[in-house]
Amino acid sequence: EFESGCNTPWSLKGHSNVFVQANEIMQGCNIIAFGGDSTNAKLTIDFGSFDNATMSACFDGNRVTIENDNETMAVSVVRKDDNASATTEFKVVAGTSFVDIEILMTSCMDTVEIVSTPNMTGSISVVLGDDDDILLVGAGPTGVDGIFKSIIADGGGGLDMLVIDDSNSLRNKLEGNIDSGAVSGLLANGDDIVFYSQFEVVEVNLSSGESLFTVENTALDSSTSVQAGPSNDRIVVEDSQGELIVKGGLGSDNFVLKGLGRNTTAIIFGEGGDDILRVDGNPEVLEVSADANTTI
């Protein structure tokens, strides 16, 4: 464990799980832990979930950024120290032995950004607190193509937003899917999944290549939006449990609306190109497989 006594860079050798108390680290205290070669390890960055007094003393604006740095995991931390501009910044660099990463944030307004990871399996777990938080996945130079780990995200309380931004990817992705608790078929390895819970707003920006994306379902009472890219895409809506917004982008897109949940709304924008909307999967019959309280 690393507490307030660390005010210079630390370099760790050997193999061990590493637990960093982010609320105690001093400015510029960078930690380098490459780990061993024999077994897998876990890196935890904790803003004080172990200490209720510390959690209650947090300030809005904490930020954690995870990205690949020459096949090591670089975790950059910005901790707000007051309501003005005072911050503490430090970095944790973890070797490929640390296959699992756990981020435990504060009860204030926080942002976690997952840009990229080393090319190896594992998971990233993000637990947000009770305020309005944001989790950004992707948005790097290749969208989410640089993320090789599954993500497990808990929004906690408050009005939380999950953004999966694959718009910079040039790959065709024909197996994308979202349901009430997971987004699949987009990350670098097709089997890796973004599992999510307690997010009130979910935004998915699809690849610039061709996309086939299915909205199997959405989280209960959530607002979910899907933005297609500039290619010719196909988006299929099977069901929903909250507001759904679908935008087609610049290509000639194909939308298939098969059903919606009770008391839900779907708003579909064709945007550029020559777009086709099929309701209930039949291009000649404009009927909705939904309850009478459903609005399109």
Side-chain angles (χ1 to χ4, degrees):
E1 298 185 0
F2 298 90
E3 301 182 6
S4 56
C6 173
N7 55 10
T8 57
W10 287 68
S11 179
L12 306 181
K13 297 181 179 181
H15 173 81
S16 178
N17 295 332
V18 174
F19 182 93
V20 179
Q21 296 183 6
N23 57 311
E24 298 288 346
I25 301 296
M26 292 183 177
Q27 173 69 28
C29 177
N30 299 321
I31 300 167
I32 303 172
F34 290 111
D37 298 326
S38 57
T39 56
N40 298 329
K42 179 180 180 180
L43 169 65
T44 299
I45 309 291
D46 191 340
F47 276 80
S49 65
F50 56 89
D51 185 348
N52 290 332
T54 300
M55 289 289 284
S56 63
C58 64
F59 299 96
D60 294 342
N62 305 289
R63 188 179 189 95
V64 172
T65 302
I66 300 173
E67 54 190 328
N68 180 31
D69 181 5
N70 195 27
E71 290 306 310
T72 62
M73 186 83 74
V75 183
S76 300
V77 178
V78 178
R79 184 184 72 233
K80 281 299 293 293
D81 294 327
D82 60 26
N83 286 320
S85 59
T87 61
T88 294
E89 300 184 23
F90 64 92
K91 179 181 288 188
V92 180
V93 177
T96 55
S97 295
F98 293 90
V99 297
D100 296 316
I101 310 296
E102 182 180 40
I103 308 295
L104 306 174
M105 298 303 294
T106 78
S107 58
C108 295
M109 296 175 65
D110 302 323
T111 299
V112 176
E113 183 175 12
I114 303 173
V115 179
S116 58
T117 71
N119 186 357
M120 61 179 301
T121 60
S123 67
I124 299 175
S125 173
V126 178
V127 179
L128 302 169
D130 293 333
D131 213 320
D132 302 341
D133 304 305
I134 300 174
L135 172 60
L136 305 173
V137 178
T142 59
V144 301
D145 292 347
I147 299 175
F148 292 86
K149 295 179 182 292
S150 288
I151 298 169
I152 304 108
D154 184 344
L159 180 62
D160 303 303
M161 175 182 292
L162 168 64
V163 179
I164 300 175
D165 190 350
D166 198 28
S167 57
N168 286 334
S169 172
L170 301 178
R171 293 171 50 195
N172 297 335
K173 300 191 178 182
L174 306 180
E175 297 182 352
N177 185 91
I178 184 172
D179 62 26
S180 59
V183 179
S184 59
L186 300 183
L187 300 184
N189 293 323
D191 294 335
D192 287 333
I193 298 173
V194 179
F195 298 98
Y196 70 96
S197 63
Q198 300 193 83
F199 284 90
E200 289 70 34
V201 179
V202 179
E203 297 182 1
V204 180
N205 300 324
L206 300 179
S207 164
S208 293
E210 289 189 20
S211 295
L212 171 55
F213 190 81
T214 300
V215 181
E216 185 177 330
N217 209 332
T218 63
L220 182 64
D221 297 329
S222 66
S223 175
T224 302
S225 66
V226 178
Q227 172 69 66
S231 299
N232 300 331
D233 303 308
R234 178 179 172 89
I235 299 176
V236 179
V237 179
E238 300 277 359
D239 202 354
S240 66
Q241 298 184 93
E243 180 186 65
L244 176 63
I245 301 172
V246 179
K247 298 181 180 181
L250 298 177
S252 296
D253 304 306
N254 194 318
F255 304 93
V256 180
L257 181 58
K258 293 185 176 181
L260 296 172
R262 181 180 177 85
N263 294 321
T264 63
T265 301
I267 304 173
I268 299 176
F269 298 92
E271 298 193 323
D274 297 322
D275 305 303
I276 298 174
L277 170 63
R278 292 183 171 92
V279 179
D280 209 13
N282 188 334
E284 298 179 356
V285 182
L286 291 179
E287 296 181 350
V288 179
S289 173
D291 184 270
N293 292 315
T294 298
T295 301
I296 300 177

